[in-house]
Amino acid sequence: MFGTNYEFSGLSFPLDEENWTATVSLKLPIFDGWAQWSKIRQKRAQARQGRLNQSRIRDEVFIQVRKIYNDYNARVNELAKFQKEKDEMEEVIGRMERSGVRTGEDALVKIRLIKRRYALEEKYTMLVYEAQKARINLEYEVGRPLDN
């Protein structure tokens, strides 16, 4: 370490002469008690800890995205299953309408099927909503829109 200093005392107070003072100091640490080595070890430990934290955060993000992706896939698969069930219900109702209602029992079956169709449509609408919500969550976590 290197330092300098100067001072001039004069032109004021009854000083008979002008005084100049100059100082130069040089500090060379010959032995610092291995403090430098411990600082190096401390910085290396901090860097290692930072890498571990970065790895932990990366793993947490990966797990979160994977969980949301699995939720999205489950919703889409459930939606496809319900779409198939809904299509089968529409086909059965269409066959009944083409064959015509012959008895009161046929009419009751048709009413039950129509009631079931509306319940399926309500559940299908909720599944579409849940699938869209899962897609939005996935897009948010990934940070970009999904391509179809």
Side-chain angles (χ1 to χ4, degrees):
M1 180 184 245
F2 182 73
T4 61
N5 183 27
Y6 72 92
E7 177 182 344
F8 171 72
S9 299
L11 304 176
S12 63
F13 194 67
L15 295 174
D16 295 339
E17 55 189 71
E18 294 179 354
N19 295 322
W20 282 88
T21 305
T23 307
V24 176
S25 68
L26 181 63
K27 181 179 175 183
L28 295 172
I30 296 173
F31 180 70
D32 61 358
W34 293 288
Q36 191 67 23
W37 291 107
S38 57
K39 287 179 186 176
I40 291 171
R41 278 196 319 246
Q42 180 183 14
K43 293 300 178 184
R44 284 182 181 161
Q46 287 173 347
R48 190 171 42 252
Q49 187 66 36
R51 285 190 301 272
L52 288 174
N53 283 339
Q54 181 184 20
S55 178
R56 180 185 54 80
I57 290 170
R58 186 180 297 127
D59 289 345
E60 287 175 2
V61 168
F62 177 77
I63 288 169
Q64 182 71 15
V65 169
R66 191 70 169 160
K67 180 178 141 191
I68 290 174
Y69 178 75
N70 288 340
D71 181 47
Y72 172 70
N73 271 344
R75 300 289 181 194
V76 168
N77 291 338
E78 191 175 1
L79 189 61
K81 183 184 104 179
F82 255 79
Q83 179 65 42
K84 184 179 176 186
E85 188 176 338
K86 185 178 165 216
D87 290 344
E88 289 173 358
M89 180 67 67
E90 291 293 334
E91 185 180 323
V92 169
I93 290 173
R95 270 191 269 136
M96 279 195 82
E97 287 176 353
R98 284 190 298 274
S99 68
V101 177
R102 296 189 182 109
T103 63
E105 191 174 304
D106 288 344
L108 283 176
V109 169
K110 185 176 178 182
I111 289 170
R112 286 187 190 125
L113 284 174
I114 291 172
K115 186 176 177 183
R116 172 83 174 130
R117 177 178 66 183
Y118 287 126
L120 280 175
E121 285 178 359
E122 182 180 357
K123 187 159 186 173
Y124 179 77
T125 304
M126 286 306 296
L127 284 174
V128 168
Y129 169 76
E130 292 295 327
Q132 287 300 320
K133 193 166 82 170
R135 180 185 175 105
I136 289 168
N137 286 339
L138 181 59
E139 287 177 348
Y140 177 78
E141 287 296 323
V142 171
R144 59 187 168 100
L146 299 177
D147 296 329
N148 285 337

